[in-house]
Amino acid sequence: MNRANVSFTFLDRVTEVEFNIQDGRWQSALALALTLPDICGGIAFPDIVKRYRDGRIMLDRQKNPTRDVGAQYIRWFDEYASDFFKISSEDETPYICGERCWQLRCEYLHQNKGFFNDENSNQIHFHLGINCGTSVCQLDRQEIRNGSTDVRIDIEQFCIRMSRAAR
């Protein structure tokens, strides 16, 4: 392979998530899996853009509309991935919604959070595990204690399900 000219397709990215799972590279798998809705949301919902309070569209430096990445991410997850995040097919709602997945993405990728973190100013605490047997560790959807919600996620199952949704 010519290393001077390397490019990757979206499916290469999904495959890379799956290779990281097989190799037990949990942090890499999770980080990459959390980027899939960014890409898919931008493709599926290009018209979701940031707006000023008066309704005008925000423009970037090139005078193009500025993507509302969070809204695109959440909407894509809720519309296309949520069915992959149900414990059983009878469940009406997934154990994690687009908004919670967006929060996990931001905390894990940008704030070095994701594992239980006492400084978390949000009232949602994510607990990440490996090989819990389901995408929700110990089959806990969420546990509410002292006004905060604990969401337990199996990294392996989360990444597998995110890859399936992206494919």
Side-chain angles (χ1 to χ4, degrees):
M1 173 162 98
N2 179 0
R3 293 180 182 237
N5 186 18
V6 177
S7 63
F8 302 100
T9 68
F10 177 73
L11 288 178
D12 290 333
R13 182 174 289 221
V14 176
T15 301
E16 188 77 16
V17 171
E18 295 162 348
F19 285 154
N20 279 307
I21 293 167
Q22 290 171 5
D23 292 343
R25 296 178 188 184
W26 307 117
Q27 291 185 79
S28 297
L30 181 59
L32 209 50
L34 287 168
T35 68
L36 299 176
D38 277 317
I39 298 164
C40 294
I43 294 167
F45 305 108
D47 296 335
I48 298 178
V49 296
K50 290 186 178 183
R51 295 181 180 272
Y52 293 103
R53 290 184 185 183
D54 66 4
R56 290 180 300 124
I57 295 174
M58 289 185 183
L59 301 177
D60 62 19
R61 292 180 181 159
Q62 290 76 37
K63 305 293 183 204
N64 296 316
T66 303
R67 283 182 61 194
D68 188 338
V69 178
Q72 290 174 338
Y73 189 105
I74 291 166
R75 184 162 173 199
W76 181 85
F77 187 95
D78 287 341
E79 289 192 23
Y80 296 101
S82 63
D83 284 345
F84 292 89
F85 289 90
K86 293 180 179 178
I87 295 173
S88 73
S89 58
E90 293 84 37
D91 290 346
E92 287 186 31
T93 60
Y95 70 86
I96 188 169
C97 64
E99 190 173 331
R100 290 290 165 258
C101 192
W102 172 253
Q103 179 185 347
L104 176 61
R105 169 214 178 266
C106 293
E107 290 182 7
Y108 187 78
L109 296 178
H110 303 298
Q111 300 169 13
N112 196 32
K113 293 182 181 180
F115 294 97
F116 183 71
N117 190 333
D118 290 330
E119 303 91 47
N120 187 350
S121 61
N122 296 318
Q123 294 301 314
I124 304 291
H125 299 282
F126 294 102
H127 302 269
L128 303 176
I130 299 167
N131 297 321
C132 300
T134 171
S135 50
V136 182
C137 292
Q138 303 165 359
L139 292 175
D140 293 337
R141 289 177 193 258
Q142 10 182 315
E143 179 181 324
I144 301 173
R145 291 182 297 148
N146 301 327
S148 69
T149 302
D150 295 334
V151 179
R152 303 178 191 286
I153 296 175
D154 181 296
I155 296 170
E156 179 178 29
Q157 285 299 313
F158 179 88
C159 293
I160 289 169
R161 291 168 187 238
M162 188 66 80
S163 294
R164 287 180 183 157
R167 282 189 185 278

